[in-house]
Amino acid sequence: MDTINGQNRTDCIGYKDFPAHVGETVCIKGMIHRIREMTGFAFVILRTARETVQCVYSPDFSDYRMDESVAEGCAVKVTGKVVKDETREGRYEMQIHGIEVLSSPAEPMPLVINKKQLDNIPIDLDLNLRPVTLRNPKERAVFKIQEGIARGFREYLFSQGFTEIRTPKICAQGAEGGANIFKLDYFGKQVFLAQSPQFYKQMLVPVYERVFEVGPVFRAEHHDTSRHLNEYISMDFEMGFIDSFYDIMNMETGALKYIMELLKKDYAEELALWSAQLPEIGDIPVVKFMDAKEVITKKFKKKITDYRDFEPEEEQILGKWAKKEFGSDFLFVTHYPSEKRPFYAMDDPADPAYTLSFDLLFRGIEITTGGQRIHDYNEQVAKMRARGMDPADFESYLMAHKYGMPPHGGLGLGLERITMHLLGFKNVRYASMFPRDINRVTP
Ligand code: AMO
């Protein structure tokens, strides 16, 4: 390998290049995933960035003789001839002429990673061994699919004139209220880890009109639940000059349609490993919060104990209802009670007890919160005061309102939550590469 103008050049090719090199001698690099000894020959399965590649060793192919230094877990460069795989239509393999071992593992694998899927191991063991368990192609596929979701979100918003932003994660104030905020000692001063990029994305609306961010946010969740992480990836956008919060719901619908198309096109193999069913997205049904509560009591005969928010079981009921009634995996619920929404949410002028806000449920779990925000300075200050907040603590945020901002709104979509429900996981931790929960900060 030599370096020209800062670019690495290697004579090796990838599996995708195999069809163009049939009959030629080439090389490929990868990790030895599996060795299957047969009588008189052996399969050496290489794990490359995205594929597993079948290489066949036989003394008939060349003078090269494979020995014990070639073992599972080795990083290798394999040289050989590309041929069509006679047993599998449309697949190619390599007849080995030589293997150069680039590095060898110090110890054997702590568990079997080279089967179709990991054995049924406890979640804690899986997560403790993530640097290894992720090498299993089915496990690896989760985060390739997740890449596709974030990529789709990004690509769609670029196509709609959004600007990508990166905002601070060390903040002077919490944006979402509540007790689930991490406090941090900052050279003797108390600061906080960002619960969301809410303030910054709003501040940037008068600058760029439409902004988005895909980045980590932090929530000090005190309970161990199957749907909460202490650090998760939030996909946020904020847009100016909206006519109503329905503009935001439309933008999200467009983004979700684009994401599903992209997954279908570019991530089919990974989805197949999980037998994942992509949702069809047409017009997503919309129901008002109080009407949804009525559906739960009247149609499902469940007694409501809290009229300010949904219990997880109620969301599941609504998920089933949306599927049965509208054939939709998604449901927008709008007009949440003001009491349960943050201070920046705009109240509905028609009934200020409710907000111009929404959640999106996907297969019965909340994946998005969004809505219209207060843009008027005096209105925002008044709402803060009514909640016992001191506007002086939010001076830099309120600068945006003070010096003028357009009607605007936006949303936050939890990347792990959508991944979890797309792949049918029971626990959100499976959808986080290196999850952080109340008991876990490693790996
Ligand atoms: P909210 O707090 O509802 O809204 O969060 C938005 C979305 O983020 C996901 N989410 C979580 N995912 C994993 N673990 C958690 N602990 C967790 N908490 C939330 C959910 C949720 O729907 N600023 C607003 C958004 C906005 O209005 O723009 C906000 O953060 O998918």
Side-chain angles (χ1 to χ4, degrees):
M1 194 163 82
D2 56 343
T3 302
I4 296 173
N5 294 336
Q7 286 206 314
N8 284 331
R9 278 175 27 117
T10 163
D11 49 354
C12 284
I13 63 172
Y15 179 73
K16 288 240 156 31
D17 307 314
F18 271 24
H21 291 274
V22 176
E24 293 173 26
T25 300
V26 296
C27 68
I28 185 164
K29 288 177 183 167
M31 307 291 293
I32 297 189
H33 190 57
R34 190 162 183 198
I35 299 180
R36 271 166 60 213
E37 307 262 7
M38 315 299 269
T39 26
F41 70 106
F43 290 113
V44 178
I45 310 298
L46 281 196
R47 194 178 63 249
T48 65
R50 208 167 168 186
E51 295 96 6
T52 46
V53 183
Q54 180 160 291
C55 304
V56 190
Y57 168 75
S58 160
D60 299 343
F61 295 149
S62 71
D63 296 336
Y64 168 73
R65 296 292 171 265
M66 197 163 86
D67 59 29
E68 308 77 67
S69 68
V70 176
E72 286 175 2
C74 286
V76 292
K77 173 179 171 181
V78 185
T79 307
K81 187 162 95 173
V82 176
V83 294
K84 278 196 171 165
D85 182 338
E86 295 303 336
T87 55
R88 293 179 303 166
E89 178 72 22
R91 301 276 304 173
Y92 298 83
E93 60 186 21
M94 178 182 267
Q95 294 180 345
I96 299 171
H97 292 177
I99 299 180
E100 183 188 340
V101 176
L102 304 172
S103 82
S104 302
E107 286 192 26
M109 291 291 162
L111 81 177
V112 180
I113 55 136
N114 59 14
K115 288 208 271 188
K116 257 205 169 125
Q117 58 185 38
L118 292 181
D119 286 334
N120 213 355
I121 54 170
I123 184 165
D124 270 336
L125 181 63
D126 181 347
L127 299 179
N128 287 344
L129 297 175
R130 269 275 152 128
V132 179
T133 52
L134 286 173
R135 298 178 187 201
N136 173 267
K138 186 169 171 183
E139 298 300 308
R140 173 170 81 170
V142 175
F143 300 97
K144 215 50 205 173
I145 293 166
Q146 193 165 79
E147 165 200 88
I149 298 171
R151 191 183 135 202
F153 183 77
R154 214 190 216 113
E155 284 180 9
Y156 184 74
L157 294 179
F158 277 137
S159 79
Q160 301 298 308
F162 281 74
T163 294
E164 183 165 18
I165 56 169
R166 284 167 238 287
T167 64
K169 304 303 160 213
I170 299 174
C171 302
Q173 287 295 344
E176 304 301 330
N180 65 352
I181 186 157
F182 282 111
K183 296 178 181 139
L184 198 68
D185 174 52
Y186 196 68
F187 309 113
K189 230 168 69 186
Q190 181 174 279
V191 296
F192 306 94
L193 287 182
Q195 289 172 302
S196 79
Q198 186 63 39
F199 290 170
Y200 293 97
K201 57 180 187 164
Q202 281 189 257
M203 286 183 217
L204 292 167
V205 164
V207 182
Y208 299 107
E209 287 185 21
R210 294 178 165 198
V211 294
F212 79 91
E213 177 166 12
V214 177
V217 294
F218 305 89
R219 303 280 171 107
E221 305 292 354
H222 297 282
H223 306 288
D224 199 359
T225 83
S226 60
R227 57 195 218 152
H228 290 96
L229 294 162
N230 288 346
E231 175 175 350
Y232 69 92
I233 303 296
S234 187
M235 305 201 291
D236 277 86
F237 74 67
E238 200 71 17
M239 52 194 270
F241 298 100
I242 56 170
D243 291 327
S244 77
F245 71 98
Y246 294 104
D247 292 349
I248 301 152
M249 289 154 64
N250 280 331
M251 188 63 75
E252 179 166 34
T253 306
L256 288 169
K257 282 183 183 167
Y258 182 91
I259 289 168
M260 296 311 154
E261 283 306 312
L262 184 69
L263 291 181
K264 204 189 289 177
K265 181 167 77 70
D266 283 0
Y267 297 86
E269 283 181 26
E270 280 88 4
L271 290 166
L273 288 174
W274 284 96
S275 311
Q277 296 298 318
L278 291 179
E280 293 292 329
I281 309 177
D283 285 338
I284 297 177
V286 184
V287 62
K288 283 190 173 164
F289 179 86
M290 284 308 283
D291 295 340
K293 285 281 185 188
E294 202 174 303
V295 166
I296 295 165
T297 38
K298 291 218 169 121
K299 290 207 176 201
F300 294 87
K301 311 281 177 246
K302 190 182 175 303
K303 197 166 176 290
I304 307 288
T305 51
D306 185 355
Y307 274 94
R308 297 167 310 159
D309 209 344
F310 291 121
E311 293 167 20
E313 193 197 336
E314 293 175 347
E315 287 185 351
Q316 281 164 18
I317 290 175
L318 290 173
K320 284 193 193 120
W321 175 70
K323 188 73 183 169
K324 190 158 171 269
E325 202 79 4
F326 310 103
S328 176
D329 285 315
F330 291 93
L331 177 69
F332 277 120
V333 182
T334 63
H335 298 88
Y336 277 70
S338 188
E339 206 187 327
K340 275 304 232 185
R341 289 306 226 209
F343 64 89
Y344 53 76
M346 186 182 270
D347 292 332
D348 184 357
D351 186 351
Y354 297 91
T355 49
L356 299 177
S357 73
F358 67 90
D359 271 11
L360 179 64
L361 309 187
F362 175 38
R363 296 179 178 158
I365 190 174
E366 172 205 325
I367 59 162
T368 298
T369 295
Q372 180 157 2
R373 329 297 187 183
I374 298 172
H375 54 265
D376 180 80
Y377 176 72
N378 294 318
E379 193 181 330
Q380 183 60 86
V381 167
K383 190 161 178 179
M384 282 175 162
R385 289 220 169 93
R387 292 194 172 202
M389 297 162 71
D390 183 357
D393 292 340
F394 297 87
E395 201 185 336
S396 57
Y397 168 59
L398 287 171
M399 247 188 243
H401 304 70
K402 193 184 266 174
Y403 299 109
M405 68 193 319
H408 67 282
L411 58 76
L413 167 57
L415 180 58
E416 293 83 355
R417 287 263 182 102
I418 185 172
T419 311
M420 168 189 184
H421 283 271
L422 197 63
L423 300 182
F425 297 151
K426 293 265 179 297
N427 193 315
V428 70
R429 286 162 184 74
Y430 287 119
S432 171
M433 202 176 256
F434 296 108
R436 294 290 175 258
D437 63 32
I438 197 160
N439 301 309
R440 177 177 293 283
V441 286
T442 57

